[in-house]
Each structure stands twice: as structure tokens, then as C-alpha cells.
């Protein structure tokens, strides 16, 4: 993490994970959110993002969280998709 990203994560930790990351595009908000979620062990976790960013978010999780595999995630593509009843996060 870059110093300003670490500052954002620390800010979020001080507030129990409740914050709005409003940095400009391309400054690493996704990484800050992932670091914050991992620090808080906030599982299960719901990521709400525009449809065009679903796969990017999945790739970011796999990139930054060792051991994260596609079966650890469930992407919603339309209103007919449902979360499996057995959905259990396996991030350690």
C-alpha cells in the first residue's frame, strides 16, 4: 500500500470499517477496500459496484488476497442469479 492508501485503511479501521472512499479514479480505492475487509475479517462481504466492474473486482481479489479462488466468490449477473445456500467465505 502507498502511504495515502495506508492512511485510508487506518482511517477505516478507526471507524470500524465505516467510511466512504472518495479518491479519484485510479488511486487504489479497490485495494484499500480489500485491505480493510481483510484487516477486519468482515466475512461474508457484499461488494456493490457497477455491472461493468464485477469481473475487475473479482480479479482484484484474486490478485491481492493469497488463496482467493473463483469458487470463493459469487458474481451476480442478472436478477435471476441467487446466492447459493452453501455460500461460505473461505478467505483466511
Amino acid at each position: 500500500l502507498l502511504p495515502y492508501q495506508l492512511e485510508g485503511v487506518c482511517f477505516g479501521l478507526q471507524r470500524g470499517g465505516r467510511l466512504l472512499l472518495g479518491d479519484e479514479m485510479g488511486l487504489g480505492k479497490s485495494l484499500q477496500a480489500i485491505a480493510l475487509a481483510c484487516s477486519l475479517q468482515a466475512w461474508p462481504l457484499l461488494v456493490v459496484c457497477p455491472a461493468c466492474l464485477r469481473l475487475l473486482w473479482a480479479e482484484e481479489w484474486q490478485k491481492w488476497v493469497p488463496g482467493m479462488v473463483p469458487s470463493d466468490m459469487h458474481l451476480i449477473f442478472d436478477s435471476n442469479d441467487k446466492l447459493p445456500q452453501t455460500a461460505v467465505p473461505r478467505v483466511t
Side-chain angles (χ1 to χ4, degrees):
L1 293 172
L2 295 172
Y4 70 89
Q5 292 169 319
L6 184 57
E7 184 178 336
V9 172
C10 290
F11 182 83
L13 288 172
Q14 292 169 357
R15 285 151 186 79
R18 301 182 185 278
L19 79 156
L20 174 66
L21 293 169
D23 293 338
E24 293 289 329
M25 187 171 63
L27 292 179
K29 294 180 294 296
S30 299
L31 177 55
Q32 289 178 72
I34 291 168
L36 185 59
C38 290
S39 296
L40 292 170
Q41 291 292 297
W43 318 121
L45 177 70
L46 173 67
V47 175
V48 179
C49 65
C52 63
L53 297 178
R54 287 179 297 213
L55 297 176
L56 179 65
W57 262 96
E59 290 172 3
E60 290 293 304
W61 277 100
Q62 290 177 309
K63 177 179 176 182
W64 295 108
V65 180
M68 176 67 77
V69 294
S71 63
D72 293 332
M73 297 174 249
H74 185 79
L75 301 178
I76 304 293
F77 287 95
D78 63 38
S79 61
N80 295 322
D81 286 350
K82 305 274 188 264
L83 285 176
Q85 293 296 322
T86 59
V88 177
R90 294 184 300 213
V91 176
T92 57

